[in-house]
Every structure is written in C-alpha cells, then in structure tokens.
Amino acid sequence: TTTAPGVAAVQPSFFATDFVDGVSTPVCTPADFNAAVGDTTMSCSFTTSSNVTVTREFHVHVDERPAPKAPEYYTVATDPTGYGDSQTASVNFISLVAPTGTVTYQIDNGPLQTVAISSGRPRAILASGPITTGVHTISWTYGGDYSYLPASGSFIIEGPSHPDLTI
C-alpha cells in the first residue's frame, strides 16, 4: 500500500525488470490516475520477449485532498497589421497540472460563449478572426476543476479603423 498524504493528483510510476528484457514500463489501469480521498486498486501488466504476461495489483491510499488553488494565467490579444486582418484573443494557463473544463466569455456585453480549454498547451481561444473597428472588452470566467479554483478577468482588444479612402 502506498500512502500519499495531502496529494490531490497521485501519478504513481512503476517499472518491471526481467533478466532477459531488462527494465520495461508496464501498462497500468487506470492509466490516468487522479486519486480521490480513499483507496484505489491499480493493475499493472507487462509482456516479456518470451510472450509471458505478468500482472500485479497495487493499492494506493490518499489520506486527504488539499484545497484547490487559483490557476495562474495570462491573456493575449494579438495586434492586427491592417483593417480586416485576423486577431486572436486567448487566456493561457501556466501550470504543471493543466486545468480542465471550459471558459465562458463575452465580448462587449454580447452573448455568452463557451470554449473548452485545449490540452497540451492549456489555453482557451476566445476570439479569432477579424475584430470590428474600435475598442472591445472581453470578460471571461473559468469554472474551476478538481485542482483549481474558479477564476475570471477581462481585457481589452482593439480592432483597426477603416482605411481612409480618397477618390
């Protein structure tokens, strides 16, 4: 039994040693292990070069779950190079464990829109494409998850003005 006091996300790692094959990494279930408080059983298997499969079970115990923390983030609004050019506004999260879920946003008190946080590089793209002329406020809210508290903010993005035409 492995005890991990005060750990919200336990990511145990196992290896297997075989005299012929050396060290290998077994396949474990559950593969993505997010431990809630209490006991969980993991099963790990690996197959040797002799085609023999070995399976073992492990018991993981988490004593307590710490309180979620506020996510760290920064916002980005790209500048257009000219009228009608595409602009992107995003909320980018900085963390070892990526936040999950969605971000709800609103541009200038318009309709609420919801986007998923992308995995890999955790971010939510709130607007992409040509932005209308003028200064716009983007307000956003992240709902939180197992590891992170809800967060919200707002920032400004400016759409370029129409070009002056002379005839």
Side-chain angles (χ1 to χ4, degrees), residues 35-123:
V37 174
D39 296 313
T40 300
T41 300
M42 294 188 70
S43 177
C44 298
S45 300
F46 78 99
T47 303
T48 68
S49 60
S50 305
N51 218 16
V52 174
T53 300
V54 178
T55 301
R56 295 287 184 265
E57 285 189 344
F58 301 90
H59 300 283
V60 178
H61 177 80
V62 177
D63 287 334
E64 60 184 73
R65 179 181 177 268
K69 62 182 180 175
E72 295 182 45
Y73 62 88
Y74 63 96
T75 56
V76 174
T78 60
D79 291 325
T81 55
Y83 179 76
D85 287 346
S86 187
Q87 292 175 262
T88 301
S90 64
V91 177
N92 301 271
F93 294 94
I94 309 165
S95 59
L96 293 175
V97 176
T100 59
T102 59
V103 172
T104 301
Y105 71 98
Q106 184 176 43
I107 301 175
D108 292 336
N109 297 317
L112 289 175
Q113 300 177 59
T114 301
V115 294
I117 296 173
S118 62
S119 59
R121 182 174 160 201
R123 67 181 179 157

Side-chain angles (χ1 to χ4, degrees), residues 7-52:
V7 177
V10 177
Q11 293 294 332
S13 60
F14 300 100
F15 65 92
T17 304
D18 179 64
F19 289 116
V20 175
D21 299 325
V23 176
S24 64
T25 303
V27 175
C28 296
T29 55
D32 186 14
F33 186 73
N34 234 347
V37 174
D39 296 313
T40 300
T41 300
M42 294 188 70
S43 177
C44 298
S45 300
F46 78 99
T47 303
T48 68
S49 60
S50 305
N51 218 16
V52 174

